Amino acid sequence: MSEQVPVGQPPDWEPRIVAFFCNWCTYTASDLAGVSRMTYAPNTRVIRVMCSGRIDPQFVLMALRQGADGVLIGGCHPGDCHYQEGNYKCLRRFAMLKHYLAAMGIDDPRVRLEWIAASEGDKVQRVTNDMVQRIKQLGPLKLEPVCQPGCRAMAGDQPSVGNRAVAADI
Amino acid sequence: MPGLQIQRRVKYQEELDADFPRRVADMPGAADLNRCIQCGTCSATCPVSSFMDLTPRRVVAMTRAGFKEEVLRSNTIWLCASCYSCTVECPKGIKITDVMYALKRLAIQERAYPRHFPTPVLAREFFHKVRQTGRSNEGQIATVMILKTNPLKLLRQIPLGLKLLVKGRMSLWTEKMSGNKRQLQDLLDYMDTHKELR
Amino acid sequence: MRFLYYPGCSLKSSGRAYEESLLAVFARLQFPLEELPEWNCCGATAYMGIDEKKAFVLAARNLALAEQHGDGQPVHLVAPCAACYLVLLKTQKYMVEYKPIGRAISDALKSVGLKYRGQVKIRHPLDVLIKEVGLERIRAAVSRPLEGMKIACYYGCQVVRPFAEFDDPHDPMSMDDLLRACGAETVDWPCKVRCCGAMLTGTVEEVGQRRSYMILHEAMRRGVDAVATACPLCQFNLECFQGPMSRRYRDQVEMSVAYFTQIVGKAMGLDERTLGMHRLFIPLRQPPALLGTSHDC
Amino acid sequence: MSQSPACPRIGVYVCHCGMNIAKQVAVEAVTEFAARLPGVAVARHYKFMCSDPGQELIQQDIKESGLERVVVASCSPLLHEATFRKACAAGGLNPFCFQMANIREQVAWVTADKGRATSKAKALIAAAVERVSRAQPLERKRLAVGDKVVIVGGGIAGIHAALTIADAGKKVYLVEREPTIGGHMAKFDKTFPTLDCAACILTPKMSSVKNHPNIELMSYSEVEKVEGFAGNFKITIQKKPRYVHEELCVGCGECVDACVFPKAKFPSEFDEGLALRKPVYMPFPQATPAVVVIDPNTCLQLTKGKCKQKCVEACQRGAIDLKQEPEQVEVEAAAVIVATGFKTFDPRGLPQYGYGRYGNVYTSLEVERMVNASGPTGGEVVLKDGAKPRSVAIIHCVGSRDKKTHPWCSRVCCMYSLKLAHLVKERSGADVFSFYIDMRTPGKGYEEFYDRLLEEGVHFIRGRVSHITDWAMTKAEEGKLVVSAEDSLIGVTRRIPVDMVILSVGLEPQPDAQEVRKKFNISCSQEGWFLERHPKLAPVATFTDGVWIAGACQGPKDIPDTVAQAGAAASEALALIDKGYVEIEPNTAEVDPEACSGCKTCLGMCPYHAIRRDEEKGVAVVNEALCKGCGTCVAACPSGAISQHMFTDDEIYQELEGILSYV
Ligand SMILES: Cc1cc2nc3c(=O)[nH]c(=O)nc-3n(C[C@H](O)[C@H](O)[C@H](O)COP(=O)(O)OP(=O)(O)OC[C@H]3O[C@@H](n4cnc5c(N)ncnc54)[C@H](O)[C@@H]3O)c2cc1C
Ligand SMILES: Cc1cc2nc3c(=O)[nH]c(=O)nc-3n(C[C@H](O)[C@H](O)[C@H](O)COP(=O)(O)OP(=O)(O)OC[C@H]3O[C@@H](n4cnc5c(N)ncnc54)[C@H](O)[C@@H]3O)c2cc1C
Ligand code: SF4
Ligand code: SF4
Ligand code: SF4
Ligand code: SF4
Ligand code: SF4
Ligand code: SF4
Ligand code: SF4
Ligand code: SF4
């Protein structure tokens, strides 16, 4: 099956996905995927947090604003939270966030919540590949670069790595 | 469909000879048969296994499982050149060469060898000659063997025989043992009359 | 210590050159070998296939005679033929290891007034030359070193396998050491102990001759002048079927195959006829350096 | 170079991990890239960062180049974060001024394309550099630990661990859910490869457990709830009603004789159903504790509420109490060892083997009971009709090495099949046919045991049995069970008629492994075995500090390996107790009183009730000792007044920016 590159999209474009994984389940699972040498699309970049309950919806919005084409949130299965119920809280926030994103016109597959247990290395692989695939179909996320309070990179109070040294390296 | 050869390949337990492995194992050198782990070293090192219908490893397996017919009719036991390679290499110390000897003897006893197959014939000739003279005569034995198994081949062997004669490497008369030939015959006969010894 | 010589049937017929050269070399080394009187066929390979106990009894008779000959002194029985060597060793070993065999043989020997107490040491000439005579004495006896001669030592199956203890069964070196002491170069090759086809060369030619052919082919590929053997059957197989082999495998096979004793004798400057050189089908090839020159003075 | 607090001096270390990373990631290029990132004063790459010279590199640079922050790009922080934090501390840097970039597990090992792996590694390093610049020096807090251990499961693993710890002078609560300890091993007659009598080596240990002053044996009990953390667990144990007062019963058996059921009638659990028992029974003569138990499912009084209660009458010690209720006990423990063992595969899932259909098809565990001298047949191997079998087939790998059941090799069944072959042959003189796929005998003396069995003349047939049937094809097969397999070494299919079949069932996780795992907050592998922290380097540790695993609950293993693990778990627990304290990660939450509006949103968020409201000041306050650092409150605070150490918003935004500034 050949991949369809949507019109108007650079052929070598690759989606950038930020992943917030909880320390106990999903981060461990992605280590397990590594130990098991399961190759998958290299488009995700993981940020480790102790619990999915720590994930502030702001983080997601900030990621999208700063150029991510998608955000993946990974936590322990319901009932398995290392902190008892952080993942439920995450789920509640996620539901709210979804409404907000829909209002902003951000397509559903771009922000995804998955329960991935420490033993589910294969799920990390599956979910990542699937997500990359879907976002490729959607193409790059184009947001109006509105500057929000707290968005320091945009506000210019903080030198962005991308703007400076690194650009030449790409 | 013509040409499609169909053969029953399942083995029922009752078709096997449960006593066969014991008979083989009772022979000197063959006692360890059971310890084979089927590693195949014997087959791999055997200089002639590439021509055998059953590799030495399979011979061991089948002997142990009681496949008497198949084993005694295989060409393997006759192709074995007694090189002792397998015996030296076997990780379990199984004296496969001795097993092959044991199987040869059983095949001869049971008359289960291929007709006109030279080796058993050669062995018999050798046997008679030694009993008569105390020594063997390679040339004569070979000639009789060829006559009995494949007379046409004798023609082809004439040049070699002549050459050997000229070089003094073959004699038409048998070199006989000096001295007490009777003693030797008595010795061999003793083994025949005292069957309980075998 | 007495060293008795057990020729076996082959050394009296197809392997005569082996006997001739062996005795000549030992004589030159002043190490006399006395032939065991009244010896009989060793029982060898083929016999095992029909009646193992009879084969053992045949060999045992020889051992009993040798022991008798020693008058209570330890006796060494030197058996140059690989098959004889093996069968004698095997008989001695199995008589001890397998009680029923030991008993049957003893009974049979007793019935004809013989007895064997296991006092005979069975030796191969290679063993004797290295361990008893010693390379020093051999070097000293070499008058025409085989300079420039490249030899592949072929030990065959039964000399170092499975019972012998004087050399390594996978990579024997005694013959190599011996011929090097005679000034020759020997090659390290993988065929030293690979089977020549034994009886199969005559019985199942397509199988047997292929073995010999593969060995000779490798020797030729390694550019040796000769293959040295230590067994009459090996020598026969490797030398006498070169014609049929060449036809069968469409490959011109031509290689000198001599007994190691013949080659050693040559280095000692012994006479060609004494060494049975005239019995070879293919004369021993010698490098030009050795032709005609004489180091004797 | 000037040192400004806004832009601390950072050292970046890129690890090759031999070829593990270097094969997929261009480490030199990555290092050059890192050198040009803002604040980076030193960037190096090295073969093995975790090795001593690797760590020294960091220490040296801290001292010589005045590094204020360190980033190591190597494996997972779950593996080596502690290592490098220690290295930083040794160099004189606060260990929390450190960040790891996981370029092995999450880059090199999972990325097919080298170029893209390199890019991803660069992004992660950029992120770590950005993040670490915001890291704050932090202090770890120490908490004192208790000196008691709870061990769950009284098989050989639990027993051995309990004795080890108790002998070291620490108190052990051994919790076993069955009426007796001993686990599987108590059922065996002999153990491979030495064939020593299982009872001879196990029962002395069992009675030591009972008699040890430091062990409190809680049989017929299960753990209900686990609270707390390493060093300070609070564990609730539920004692099931035995209907017998353990401390009064002396195991005389009068009650059993007296029971209104004149004959034993119900299948005995311990004898795998091969023998019968009464409602009041002793599981087996050496049961520990040597106390009877009344089964509520078969006792007339307990099921129907109507019985003459002859048992009560018979007991002169008044030990029987048919009104006993479950009891809950709460204990404190510094450490927990989970040793709940395994379950054997139920061959009913493979109807082709006829278990349950043909009377003379047995599981290995049943035959273990049969060959046991004190078992239901007194050690005789007999068929259902009481006759001795003349031929017996043993089928390996039943429920193992099969995608349809369990993919794994159960590791002990080759060896126990050999053992059973020997015992069956010895006891019945039967011809034994052993059908195997591979003969797996790796262990000291194991291959030699196989050799011995070969010599004994067991018929080994390499081939997996397709089915067992009573469909006779020949006269000799009539009335027999026919075993069909390809003899793959001989190259023919064979049908072998036998009288008895033994199924060498595999080992599988306990059916309640998931619940147990949740209670103790540990993980399971995909298959359901408890997950060790590291398969090689931390085989008995779990990802939860203070909880260890031992024995077959971690994966199939034999008794020697089980005991080795039990010893290891015991000594790790003792090491924790001996150390006397645990250190708490300083990843707790903190409220900025200036910013807090006092809305109380956070109070309901915290699962540990670590936040309270300071009524006086009208602001929320976090109790550091109770906070476990989940960060839920932080995400919830509408005023952004709470921050979590090590995971401040600032740090996370910074990391995000690092990631996204680079493709
Ligand atoms: C047929 C067979 C034969 C074998 N023969 C041998 C042999 O000869 N030699 C050898 O070395 N190995 C043998 N093994 C392997 C051996 O059985 C195991 O290595 C050993 O039993 C493992 O011990 P364990 O304590 O980990 O588990 P187990 O023996 O399974 O003990 C676990 C204990 O924990 C209890 N438990 C379970 N869950 C809970 C819970 N939630 N709460 C409280 N308690 C719980 C159980 O009731 C049990 O008492 C054999 C295995 C089988 C199946
Ligand atoms: C080729 C090979 C590959 C392997 N691959 C793997 C693998 O991939 N995975 C795996 O799990 N296992 C593997 N193993 C097994 C692994 O090597 C061993 O399990 C492990 O090394 C055992 O560790 P050890 O500490 O017991 O012994 P060793 O590693 O042998 O260490 C013993 C140490 O003691 C020292 N020493 C010895 N005698 C004395 C003395 N008298 N005084 C002082 N010091 C002494 C030695 O010098 C040595 O440093 C492999 C083994 C080999 C041979
Ligand atoms: S002794 Fe026979 S079977 Fe064994 S390797 Fe030699 S030829 Fe083959
Ligand atoms: S080498 Fe020995 S163990 Fe291996 S297959 Fe041959 S006989 Fe069996
Ligand atoms: S630090 Fe991690 S990645 Fe580097 S060598 Fe050690 S284990 Fe490998
Ligand atoms: S309950 Fe009473 S009668 Fe029954 S075994 Fe215990 S002490 Fe004996
Ligand atoms: S109450 Fe009745 S049925 Fe129950 S154990 Fe006692 S006598 Fe037996
Ligand atoms: S140990 Fe043996 S019987 Fe058990 S699953 Fe592994 S291979 Fe099969
Ligand atoms: S971080 Fe978690 S545990 Fe700590 S106070 Fe906040 S909610 Fe409670
Ligand atoms: S949620 Fe925030 S603002 Fe509200 S009480 Fe808690 S810390 Fe204060």
Side-chain angles (χ1 to χ4, degrees):
Chain A
M1 244 200 322
S2 73
E3 257 177 53
Q4 281 278 298
V5 179
V7 212
Q9 184 178 309
D12 55 351
W13 170 79
E14 284 288 343
R16 292 195 291 177
I17 300 170
V18 173
F20 293 98
F21 285 174
C22 85
N23 180 66
W24 304 98
C25 287
T26 314
Y27 194 85
T28 312
S30 75
D31 275 358
L32 178 66
V35 173
S36 318
R37 310 297 197 275
M38 296 169 172
T39 49
Y40 54 83
N43 304 55
T44 47
R45 316 276 187 257
V46 179
I47 292 181
R48 181 169 68 114
V49 287
M50 294 311 286
C51 175
S52 53
R54 170 72 183 90
I55 299 161
D56 191 332
Q58 282 277 352
F59 295 174
V60 178
L61 296 174
M62 183 69 83
L64 297 174
R65 241 176 244 135
Q66 290 201 17
D69 300 296
V71 175
L72 171 62
I73 298 171
C76 312
H77 285 267
D80 278 5
C81 176
H82 186 86
Y83 302 99
Q84 299 181 14
E85 48 203 28
N87 50 3
Y88 286 114
K89 307 205 169 108
C90 174
L91 182 61
R92 280 216 298 270
R93 289 177 197 139
F94 184 77
M96 271 164 42
L97 177 66
K98 276 280 179 187
H99 280 296
Y100 183 62
L101 292 173
M104 282 173 69
I106 294 174
D107 306 291
D108 195 59
R110 290 195 189 270
V111 179
R112 186 157 163 177
L113 171 64
E114 289 284 348
W115 306 135
I116 304 180
S119 56
E120 295 177 322
D122 56 329
K123 194 168 176 189
V124 172
Q125 177 188 44
R126 215 168 51 239
V127 165
T128 309
N129 283 342
D130 180 65
M131 194 162 168
V132 170
Q133 188 65 29
R134 283 171 182 231
I135 295 182
K136 270 189 179 164
Q137 239 123 62
L138 294 174
L141 176 66
K142 293 197 188 74
L143 282 184
E144 285 293 297
V146 218
C147 203
Q148 294 278 320
C151 175
R152 288 147 305 179
M154 297 291 167
D157 72 334
Q158 174 74 25
S160 149
V161 186
N163 299 344
R164 279 181 305 128
V166 192
D169 197 273
I170 299 173
Chain B
M1 216 210 303
L4 185 67
Q5 296 259 318
I6 306 222
Q7 226 185 341
R8 187 168 63 83
R9 293 289 292 167
V10 66
K11 203 72 185 171
Y12 294 102
Q13 198 62 8
E14 62 203 275
E15 295 169 336
L16 301 178
D17 182 341
D19 204 33
F20 181 60
R22 194 196 46 72
R23 278 171 70 198
V24 177
D26 272 353
M27 307 216 177
D32 281 340
L33 201 67
N34 273 339
R35 301 173 85 157
C36 169
I37 48 169
Q38 290 287 298
C39 67
T41 315
C42 47
S43 311
T45 193
C46 176
V48 288
S49 62
S50 41
F51 294 93
M52 290 170 168
D53 48 6
L54 301 177
T55 58
R57 173 191 64 74
R58 281 180 77 191
V59 165
V60 174
M62 294 172 88
T63 301
R64 175 160 93 164
F67 287 69
K68 183 174 112 184
E69 289 286 301
E70 289 81 350
V71 169
L72 293 188
R73 292 200 183 282
S74 75
N75 72 20
T76 302
I77 56 181
W78 304 111
L79 284 184
C80 168
S82 305
C83 77
Y84 286 90
S85 219
C86 49
T87 300
V88 166
E89 303 300 340
C90 173
K92 290 287 172 178
I94 297 167
K95 301 186 170 97
I96 301 127
T97 318
D98 284 342
V99 173
M100 294 292 177
Y101 280 135
L103 293 171
K104 279 181 212 182
R105 288 195 295 275
L106 282 174
I108 291 174
Q109 270 173 32
E110 308 243 332
R111 307 198 151 276
Y113 53 86
R115 260 162 61 77
H116 298 313
F117 195 73
T119 313
V121 176
L122 177 74
R124 279 195 180 284
E125 279 317 307
F126 180 85
F127 182 83
H128 291 308
K129 196 81 212 166
V130 172
R131 198 185 128 67
Q132 279 166 21
T133 66
R135 305 216 175 140
S136 78
N137 179 312
E138 295 154 346
Q140 283 183 7
I141 291 172
T143 312
V144 176
M145 176 200 80
I146 294 168
L147 271 175
K148 285 197 177 173
T149 56
N150 184 0
L152 284 178
K153 212 165 104 179
L154 194 61
L155 290 174
R156 277 192 278 129
Q157 300 292 9
I158 288 175
L160 175 60
L162 283 176
K163 219 164 155 188
L164 287 167
L165 273 174
V166 171
K167 295 280 185 185
R169 289 171 66 169
M170 186 167 97
S171 55
L172 293 175
W173 63 93
T174 302
E175 159 111 18
K176 289 198 176 63
M177 182 183 129
S178 64
N180 200 347
K181 221 160 26 246
R182 191 68 251 155
Q183 187 190 50
L184 180 80
Q185 279 163 12
D186 286 347
L187 200 52
L188 292 174
D189 294 345
Y190 182 88
M191 300 304 281
D192 277 334
T193 48
H194 291 73
K195 289 287 181 201
E196 76 280 2
L197 294 180
R198 38 195 66 241
Chain C
M1 248 191 313
R2 300 204 46 185
F3 284 80
L4 290 173
Y5 161 56
Y6 175 84
C9 309
S10 295
L11 269 77
K12 297 291 181 189
S13 54
S14 64
R16 272 170 81 175
Y18 194 8
E19 171 167 77
E20 289 159 349
S21 55
L22 175 90
L23 294 176
V25 164
F26 274 74
R28 166 57 67 93
L29 289 165
Q30 289 164 348
F31 197 102
L33 294 176
E34 179 192 341
E35 182 167 327
L36 173 71
E38 289 191 35
W39 61 269
N40 58 265
C41 164
C42 68
T45 317
Y47 219 122
M48 284 280 176
I50 299 189
D51 189 330
E52 181 186 47
K53 292 232 174 80
K54 277 189 188 159
F56 283 136
V57 119
L58 281 174
R61 180 176 176 270
N62 292 314
L63 294 172
L65 291 181
E67 195 174 76
Q68 218 172 48
H69 223 73
D71 288 331
Q73 297 297 311
V75 177
H76 294 250
L77 189 60
V78 182
C81 164
C84 302
Y85 177 67
L86 180 134
V87 171
L88 292 172
L89 276 171
K90 182 169 179 173
T91 304
Q92 185 161 36
K93 209 168 148 66
Y94 281 29
M95 276 182 78
V96 181
E97 262 177 38
Y98 299 93
K99 291 281 172 306
I101 295 188
R103 232 175 293 123
I105 295 173
S106 299
D107 289 352
L109 288 177
K110 205 161 107 197
S111 77
V112 296
L114 288 173
K115 189 175 172 67
Y116 181 55
R117 287 190 312 267
Q119 296 303 312
V120 175
K121 258 188 93 76
I122 298 133
R123 310 286 298 265
H124 191 271
L126 276 172
D127 178 17
V128 176
L129 285 171
I130 300 277
K131 297 256 168 69
E132 303 293 340
V133 179
L135 289 175
E136 272 319 299
R137 258 167 88 187
I138 290 161
R139 257 185 225 109
V142 169
S143 55
R144 297 180 55 178
L146 307 167
E147 239 120 277
M149 195 166 175
K150 196 165 159 190
I151 298 174
C153 294
Y154 177 72
Y155 298 73
C157 300
Q158 303 189 337
V159 173
V160 287
R161 198 167 55 213
F163 305 112
E165 278 161 9
F166 73 91
D167 210 338
D168 185 274
H170 293 98
D171 186 22
M173 281 307 289
S174 49
M175 199 193 301
D176 290 79
D177 291 343
L178 189 64
L179 295 182
R180 283 181 199 168
C182 293
E185 175 194 348
T186 64
V187 293
D188 179 19
W189 69 319
C191 307
K192 282 181 176 179
V193 295
R194 296 304 293 171
C195 176
C196 69
M199 307 269 256
L200 297 175
T201 45
T203 53
V204 195
E205 294 164 35
E206 57 275 35
V207 178
Q209 290 184 10
R210 186 166 179 87
R211 306 312 328 145
S212 288
Y213 166 69
M214 295 310 291
I215 290 167
L216 289 170
H217 180 81
E218 189 59 23
M220 293 194 301
R221 219 174 58 80
R222 289 182 191 245
V224 299
D225 299 308
V227 173
T229 65
C231 165
L233 184 58
C234 299
Q235 198 280 338
F236 186 83
N237 279 344
L238 293 180
E239 186 186 43
C240 302
F241 294 106
Q242 292 191 5
M245 266 179 229
S246 303
R247 287 190 293 279
R248 190 184 290 272
Y249 303 109
R250 297 205 178 81
D251 181 13
Q252 189 55 40
V253 183
E254 200 177 333
M255 172 59 62
S256 309
V257 182
Y259 293 105
F260 74 97
T261 41
Q262 290 180 297
I263 301 172
V264 171
K266 196 150 185 66
M268 293 176 170
L270 295 174
D271 169 69
E272 296 268 324
R273 243 193 132 72
T274 322
L275 294 174
M277 291 292 192
H278 59 293
R279 300 193 194 278
L280 296 179
F281 284 19
I282 300 157
L284 185 59
R285 190 160 55 171
Q286 301 175 47
L290 283 177
L291 285 174
T293 50
S294 168
H295 291 258
D296 275 293
C297 11
Chain D
M1 225 197 260
S2 73
Q3 295 176 19
S4 78
C7 200
R9 291 171 64 80
I10 303 172
V12 179
Y13 301 86
V14 183
C15 183
H16 299 206
C17 198
M19 286 308 287
N20 279 307
I21 293 171
K23 200 173 70 184
Q24 264 334 79
V25 173
V27 283
E28 286 90 353
V30 169
T31 312
E32 274 169 40
F33 163 81
R36 284 182 280 135
L37 291 173
V40 173
V42 176
R44 300 184 194 278
H45 56 92
Y46 187 67
K47 270 235 157 329
F48 298 104
M49 279 311 296
C50 59
S51 67
D52 272 353
Q55 295 186 46
E56 273 157 25
L57 217 55
I58 298 175
Q59 294 166 27
Q60 209 175 343
D61 286 343
I62 293 173
K63 286 177 194 145
E64 290 172 10
S65 313
L67 295 185
E68 295 159 302
R69 297 288 187 274
V70 169
V71 168
V72 175
S74 59
C75 47
S76 170
L78 301 184
L79 194 67
H80 270 315
E81 191 172 53
T83 311
F84 296 118
R85 279 192 183 155
K86 269 194 207 121
C88 288
L93 191 66
N94 182 285
F96 296 94
C97 294
F98 165 77
Q99 183 68 25
M100 235 169 141
N102 185 345
I103 62 167
R104 192 178 76 171
E105 281 83 347
Q106 297 189 3
V107 180
W109 281 350
V110 293
T111 310
D113 181 82
K114 220 179 141 165
R116 298 190 66 192
T118 303
S119 296
K120 186 172 175 183
K122 286 179 183 171
L124 292 183
I125 291 172
V129 166
E130 288 288 307
R131 189 191 208 276
V132 85
S133 66
R134 299 304 169 99
Q136 294 298 319
L138 296 167
E139 291 302 324
R140 274 204 187 88
K141 266 223 312 281
R142 284 183 176 189
L143 282 179
V145 302
D147 63 352
K148 302 188 184 75
V149 180
V150 164
I151 297 178
V152 189
I156 180 62
I159 291 174
H160 185 77
L163 289 172
T164 309
I165 294 169
D167 283 346
K170 308 288 181 239
K171 169 99 187 172
V172 175
Y173 300 97
L174 179 57
V175 185
E176 165 61 55
R177 73 163 159 214
E178 298 296 326
T180 171
I181 55 169
H184 284 92
M185 189 178 168
K187 302 189 178 194
F188 309 154
D189 183 48
K190 299 262 166 67
T191 54
F192 61 73
T194 43
L195 293 182
D196 37 0
C197 143
C200 310
I201 51 180
L202 183 65
T203 41
K205 287 188 94 128
M206 285 166 60
S207 51
S208 305
V209 164
K210 181 67 199 148
N211 299 325
H212 206 295
N214 286 338
I215 299 179
E216 185 167 336
L217 174 55
M218 304 170 99
S219 61
Y220 220 34
S221 304
E222 274 180 69
V223 167
E224 275 283 297
K225 200 163 82 185
V226 181
E227 291 165 293
F229 47 91
N232 296 282
F233 289 110
K234 202 179 291 163
I235 295 170
T236 313
I237 298 161
Q238 157 119 323
K239 289 185 140 183
K240 290 183 271 188
R242 213 182 239 280
Y243 305 105
V244 172
H245 287 293
E246 211 182 302
E247 63 291 351
L248 292 178
C249 174
V250 293
C252 66
E254 297 288 344
C255 53
V256 180
D257 294 341
C259 172
V260 295
F261 283 93
K263 277 217 271 272
K265 188 173 169 191
F266 309 101
S268 145
E269 292 81 359
F270 188 80
D271 279 321
E272 295 293 317
L274 292 186
L276 301 174
R277 60 153 173 81
K278 291 188 182 179
V280 53
Y281 66 102
M282 179 90 94
F284 71 111
Q286 291 89 10
T288 306
V291 170
V292 294
V293 54
I294 296 177
D295 170 23
N297 296 319
T298 51
C299 167
L300 287 180
Q301 180 64 34
L302 294 171
T303 48
K304 306 234 159 67
K306 245 186 18 211
C307 179
K308 287 191 213 129
Q309 303 189 14
K310 294 270 192 196
C311 56
V312 181
E313 219 171 279
C315 181
Q316 294 172 5
R317 297 178 56 82
I320 295 181
D321 172 7
L322 290 160
K323 297 208 172 68
Q324 210 174 36
E325 291 287 326
E327 193 188 333
Q328 288 209 339
V329 186
E330 204 182 272
V331 301
E332 284 182 350
V336 175
I337 296 175
V338 180
T340 48
F342 65 97
K343 171 183 166 295
T344 50
F345 173 77
D346 182 353
R348 265 172 275 256
L350 296 171
Q352 62 269 40
Y353 287 164
Y355 181 76
R357 182 183 315 134
Y358 304 126
N360 286 317
V361 177
Y362 292 93
T363 69
S364 49
L365 208 50
E366 290 166 347
V367 178
E368 289 284 356
R369 290 310 297 147
M370 213 189 267
V371 295
N372 194 306
S374 58
T377 58
E380 294 288 324
V381 176
V382 286
L383 300 171
K384 279 273 140 68
D385 63 6
K388 278 196 172 184
R390 301 235 307 279
S391 50
V392 175
I394 300 181
I395 322 276
H396 287 221
C397 306
V398 176
S400 305
R401 305 183 67 187
D402 178 354
K403 278 195 158 163
K404 294 185 293 302
T405 54
H406 297 314
W408 60 81
C409 164
S410 293
R411 209 173 139 182
V412 298
C413 14
C414 274
M415 280 302 289
Y416 81 54
S417 299
L418 291 174
K419 172 182 76 174
L420 291 177
H422 169 85
L423 293 174
V424 165
K425 223 174 148 63
E426 180 186 85
R427 303 285 158 87
S428 67
D431 256 342
V432 178
F433 296 86
S434 198
F435 295 84
Y436 68 98
I437 304 178
D438 295 290
M439 192 59 78
R440 299 195 167 169
T441 56
K444 201 170 175 178
Y446 288 13
E447 181 68 13
E448 292 88 329
F449 188 69
Y450 174 30
D451 186 48
R452 170 173 168 187
L453 267 289
L454 281 162
E455 221 187 326
E456 284 177 8
V458 171
H459 307 281
F460 289 98
I461 297 172
R462 184 184 175 281
R464 188 171 177 275
V465 171
S466 63
H467 61 289
I468 291 159
T469 177
D470 59 358
W471 180 12
M473 299 236 173
T474 69
K475 196 110 191 101
E477 290 180 358
E478 276 167 24
K480 301 269 186 179
L481 291 167
V482 180
V483 182
S484 252
E486 181 184 2
D487 188 326
S488 57
L489 291 166
I490 287 176
V492 295
T493 47
R494 293 176 67 180
R495 288 172 58 93
I496 300 194
V498 295
D499 297 322
M500 179 193 250
V501 174
I502 303 173
L503 304 178
S504 293
V505 286
L507 275 53
E508 61 186 25
Q510 292 277 19
D512 62 347
Q514 287 297 338
E515 285 107 77
V516 173
R517 155 185 110 61
K518 279 180 199 159
K519 272 182 206 156
F520 294 98
N521 200 1
I522 59 180
S523 307
C524 277
S525 66
Q526 213 132 7
E527 303 85 38
W529 302 107
F530 294 149
L531 196 66
E532 65 284 351
R533 192 178 201 120
H534 190 280
K536 273 156 287 207
L537 302 180
V540 296
T542 65
F543 285 101
T544 302
D545 289 339
V547 180
W548 284 275
I549 48 178
C553 62
Q554 181 256 357
K557 61 179 62 62
D558 56 18
I559 296 166
D561 287 1
T562 296
V563 170
Q565 278 206 339
S571 56
E572 299 207 12
L574 284 172
L576 169 70
I577 293 173
D578 231 44
K579 189 174 166 193
Y581 64 85
V582 282
E583 281 185 325
I584 313 273
E585 279 283 278
N587 56 7
T588 46
E590 191 180 344
V591 177
D592 175 1
E594 301 293 307
C596 173
S597 66
C599 73
K600 297 208 258 188
T601 308
C602 55
L603 267 64
M605 284 290 141
C606 180
Y608 306 102
H609 310 292
I611 316 177
R612 66 177 175 86
R613 198 174 116 107
D614 181 333
E615 294 302 342
E616 218 168 278
K617 302 203 181 94
V619 294
V621 181
V622 173
N623 180 341
E624 257 194 297
L626 293 178
C627 170
K628 300 232 177 352
C630 66
T632 307
C633 59
V634 189
C637 175
S639 316
I642 318 184
S643 63
Q644 184 191 4
H645 298 306
M646 295 170 65
F647 293 90
T648 61
D649 282 0
D650 198 21
E651 284 171 308
I652 288 169
Y653 285 130
Q654 213 61 36
E655 183 168 3
L656 195 55
E657 194 178 309
I659 281 179
L660 289 171
S661 59
Y662 186 78
V663 178

